[in-house]
Amino acid sequence: MPLGQSVPSRRTLLATAALLPLAGRPAEAAAATAPKRAQHYYDRAAALAGADPVLKALVKALAPGLTMPEPTPLRPLRTFDDVAVLGNSFIQATALFTAEGIVLVDAMGSPDEAEKIIVPGLRAVGADPAQIKYVVVAHGHADHFGGAQFLADRYGARVMMSRTDWNLIAAERPANAPKRDLEIADGQELTLGGTTIAFHHTPGHTPGTVSPIFPVHWKGRRHTAMLWGGTNPPAATADKRTSLASVLAFAATMRRAGVEVELNNHGGVDHGLALIEQLRAGTTGAANPFVIGRARAQRFMKVMEVMLRGRIAQDQETAAG
């Protein structure tokens, strides 16, 4: 070695060696960094889902070109000691019962549906609709807020929605929009009758979608539940990226909270309708099929993440021609 030239350190030599395979095999290096095609993600999501009916339903729901069937009647049911599901096969409202009243998440699509489905549905499960204290609108689409003002007018319930989606319906001025009332901040908590519900902004489906985390009880045992506020991917690629970011952030929030129950306001997307009927028929024994456990709850979010990556990749493929 010429005099005065420094000797390379062991770390430098190892780093240089690590780069040699890439320099010698440019085709392999390019393949490793090339964007994955949409089908890669769809196949990966299907593999993650395996034979799990909840996860398989989610893969199907997030696939492009999904057509929702016409709604059919759904008999109300208490899915937990302190939770009931009311609605039809397309859209469901979720009632959370506390010692001081009811928190209703979503209000279906019209005053008529609120009057003819939600009100008698609550009575059918042994609850008094006059005890509705809050109507939480998960996002600003008509099938979620349509009955909210009816319930506010009849029972004095307060209507809650994120500021962004209050602004959305103010701009669009849809039929049956509720009067602007309470705004939901990200991370805000609502406590009623000793039950605390934490609201998390999960934008994407709409700019102000909200997903709550709250306690539920089954045969007296406490569990932690989440209700995903908006599942169907939005049309714009940028909004799909927003959805993806929300999924990643909410999955971390779920992990910290110990979420083990997955709920949805569209029970067709997560096998929820089938689970309701299994619970009604008593075929699950003492177990509650909505208690999927922490690992499956995280896998649910992972499947959603991978499917959204596929939808974004498909947008890019379509744009590229």
Side-chain angles (χ1 to χ4, degrees):
M1 177 175 293
L3 187 65
Q5 182 173 331
S6 61
V7 178
S9 68
R10 183 172 183 273
R11 178 175 294 181
T12 300
L13 291 171
L14 289 172
T16 303
L19 293 174
L20 289 176
L22 296 180
R25 296 199 295 268
E28 289 87 338
T33 58
K36 302 290 192 298
R37 295 190 64 82
Q39 193 59 50
H40 164 84
Y41 293 107
Y42 299 153
D43 291 344
R44 185 181 172 207
L48 283 169
D52 188 320
V54 173
L55 303 185
K56 286 175 65 178
L58 183 62
V59 170
K60 181 179 179 180
L62 293 173
L66 176 70
T67 301
M68 297 297 290
E70 287 296 313
T72 57
L74 176 67
R75 285 192 294 144
L77 182 71
R78 285 201 183 229
T79 50
F80 286 88
D81 301 345
D82 43 10
V83 176
V85 175
L86 325 156
N88 56 41
S89 61
F90 173 67
I91 177 70
Q92 299 88 48
T94 301
L96 314 180
F97 304 119
T98 80
E100 295 179 5
I102 300 169
V103 179
L104 187 71
V105 181
D106 291 327
M108 301 197 65
S110 69
D112 188 64
E113 288 186 331
E115 182 176 25
K116 295 180 179 178
I117 297 176
I118 292 176
V119 169
L122 286 171
R123 292 186 178 127
V125 297
D128 180 2
Q131 291 301 305
I132 300 174
K133 304 301 182 183
Y134 297 94
V135 177
V136 177
V137 180
H139 67 262
H141 285 162
D143 54 330
H144 296 260
F145 66 65
Q149 193 60 49
F150 170 86
L151 298 170
D153 291 341
R154 175 168 287 192
Y155 303 117
R158 305 297 301 273
V159 180
M160 304 178 65
M161 197 185 317
S162 69
R163 175 183 296 184
T164 307
D165 275 13
W166 277 122
N167 292 341
L168 175 68
I169 65 173
E172 295 182 346
R173 303 177 66 181
N176 301 318
K179 299 172 185 175
R180 192 164 193 143
D181 195 0
L182 302 177
E183 294 180 353
I184 301 173
D186 187 21
Q188 176 182 334
E189 294 185 344
L190 170 68
T191 299
L192 182 68
T195 298
T196 298
I197 305 166
F199 299 107
H200 301 276
H201 287 188
T202 52
H205 184 72
T206 65
T209 298
V210 171
S211 298
I213 292 177
F214 48 92
V216 298
H217 295 82
W218 178 246
K219 300 187 183 301
R221 182 177 179 182
R222 187 186 189 280
H223 300 278
T224 301
M226 71 80 156
L227 193 153
W228 184 245
T231 307
N232 190 40
T237 305
D239 292 338
K240 290 187 181 74
R241 293 187 186 280
T242 299
S243 288
L244 176 59
S246 293
V247 166
L248 293 171
F250 193 64
T253 300
M254 288 169 53
R255 188 180 301 110
R256 290 191 296 270
V259 168
E260 55 188 324
V261 175
E262 181 276 320
L263 304 175
N264 202 289
N265 42 28
H266 289 281
V269 308
D270 66 345
H271 200 59
L273 295 175
L275 298 185
I276 287 171
E277 298 311 317
Q278 291 173 17
L279 198 56
R280 193 193 313 276
T283 58
T284 61
N288 187 312
F290 286 99
V291 182
I292 63 175
R294 297 185 184 189
R296 282 178 72 199
Q298 286 295 310
R299 188 172 286 259
F300 182 91
M301 300 305 291
K302 186 65 178 181
V303 168
M304 198 182 320
E305 172 201 333
V306 175
M307 287 299 296
L308 280 169
R309 292 188 188 279
R311 296 294 295 271
I312 292 167
Q314 186 158 345
D315 286 353
Q316 294 169 333
E317 291 166 19
T318 300

